[in-house]
Amino acid sequence: MNRVLGVIEGEKPGPLAVLIGGLHGNEAAGVKAINKVFESIKEQQIKINGTLLGLAGNLQALEKGSRYIYHDLNRCWTTEYVQGVQTNGPQYAEDQELLDLIDLIELYSKQGDHSPKILMDLHTTSSAKGNFVVIPQDEAAHPIVRSLRQPIVVDLDEYLQGTMLKYFQKLGFISFAFEGGLIGTREALDLHVAGIWELLQAAGSIEITNTLPTYSALLASYSDKLPHFIKVLYHHWIESDDQFVMNPGYEN
């Protein structure tokens, strides 16, 4: 698998929209969704404003279908850790993945005057109905985020240290995780595809097409009767000796 799933540099100025799938190697729906969107753009000859970049996250873990090889690639994006890897070179499998992703995003970020810069990190969850957006609280009201029509979870990034979304938020990106639902389901793939199209429309990356209202309705249907805004107040870490078991029948 190539790291770059697709890249389109439009003739007109516009945003830089970075789509990332498979930061966890057992969550392949994001990669499949990005590929589907790029295929549709090519088939329908949809013009892009600015730059659209699709990336695969943890290539080695994706090949094995495992969450990670040595450590979680979505828990190592602290300034200190990144600078250490850049200075001393990669020590572990995920270190090279991290460097490659940074290099590519910085490369396209510096090419042209993009406004805004957006990073959409596509994930799936371990229980059903896990569709929501995770974003720092100061960006939760942004129209692009609201356009996704999913519950917005804020302050989770304060408890999960070293997330990619937090790292790129500090670099000026509208950066968020889009959780599409249960791992391995068609529902998750459909939600990811719909979320990407809605993002591209809201950001001004594409002009409105007849395809998009259908996706808007789909996104709205999955969040029906769910809260619009959720603030994390407490996060309990499960330890190995807790003997925690996820019983069937629960929905996220």
Side-chain angles (χ1 to χ4, degrees):
M1 181 187 299
N2 292 326
R3 174 85 61 198
V4 178
L5 301 173
V7 58
I8 302 173
E9 298 184 79
E11 296 179 1
K12 295 181 180 180
L16 168 64
V18 180
L19 313 172
I20 304 212
L23 206 60
H24 292 138
N26 61 332
E27 302 175 20
V31 172
K32 295 176 182 178
I34 293 169
N35 283 331
K36 285 177 69 71
V37 170
F38 271 95
E39 289 169 6
S40 296
I41 290 173
K42 182 178 179 181
E43 291 172 359
Q44 300 178 36
Q45 298 182 330
I46 297 174
K47 295 187 181 299
I48 296 294
N49 301 323
T51 299
L52 175 60
L53 175 63
L55 299 174
N58 196 333
L59 296 185
Q60 297 175 77
L62 281 164
E63 289 179 2
K64 294 181 178 295
S66 59
R67 185 173 174 87
Y68 53 81
I69 301 299
Y70 186 83
H71 61 71
D72 194 327
L73 185 55
N74 202 27
R75 299 292 184 273
C76 59
W77 294 84
T78 63
T79 301
E80 295 77 16
Y81 191 87
V82 171
Q83 289 178 347
V85 174
Q86 290 173 329
T87 301
N88 303 316
Q91 304 296 313
Y92 308 108
E94 275 73 24
D95 293 349
Q96 189 60 56
E97 309 277 359
L98 180 146
L99 291 176
D100 291 348
L101 288 166
I102 289 176
D103 288 346
L104 281 166
I105 295 172
E106 285 186 349
L107 173 65
Y108 286 98
S109 182
K110 292 175 181 178
Q111 293 179 0
D113 184 19
H114 297 102
S115 181
K117 295 187 291 185
I118 308 150
L119 186 140
M120 184 184 201
D121 181 17
L122 298 160
H123 286 273
T124 44
T125 61
S126 56
S127 64
K129 306 297 182 185
N131 50 295
F132 53 93
V133 171
V134 179
I135 192 166
Q137 184 166 351
D138 54 357
E139 291 184 352
H142 198 286
I144 291 176
V145 179
R146 293 286 188 178
S147 74
L148 299 173
R149 296 173 172 80
Q150 299 304 296
I152 296 172
V153 179
V154 300
D155 284 355
L156 182 59
D157 57 294
E158 298 296 328
Y159 297 91
L160 301 179
Q161 297 301 311
T163 59
M164 176 185 253
L165 73 88
K166 192 74 171 180
Y167 179 84
F168 281 99
Q169 188 226 6
K170 292 178 180 178
L171 296 179
F173 281 74
I174 302 165
S175 181
F176 60 91
F178 185 91
E179 301 280 356
L182 181 61
I183 291 174
T185 61
R186 179 57 191 242
E187 171 187 280
L189 177 59
D190 290 344
L191 274 171
H192 278 160
V193 170
I196 293 171
W197 282 116
E198 202 68 21
L199 168 75
L200 297 180
Q201 178 189 15
S205 297
I206 60 174
E207 303 299 326
I208 297 175
T209 70
N210 293 331
T211 312
L212 290 169
T214 303
Y215 288 117
S216 299
L218 176 67
L219 288 165
S221 70
Y222 276 109
S223 60
D224 184 39
K225 299 180 181 178
L226 294 178
H228 298 296
F229 185 85
I230 302 161
K231 182 181 177 68
V232 178
L233 301 178
Y234 173 76
H235 178 254
H236 177 72
W237 287 99
I238 297 171
E239 303 294 342
S240 57
D241 59 354
D242 287 345
Q243 299 181 345
F244 173 83
V245 175
M246 176 67 79
N247 291 322
Y250 285 92
E251 292 183 351
N252 208 323

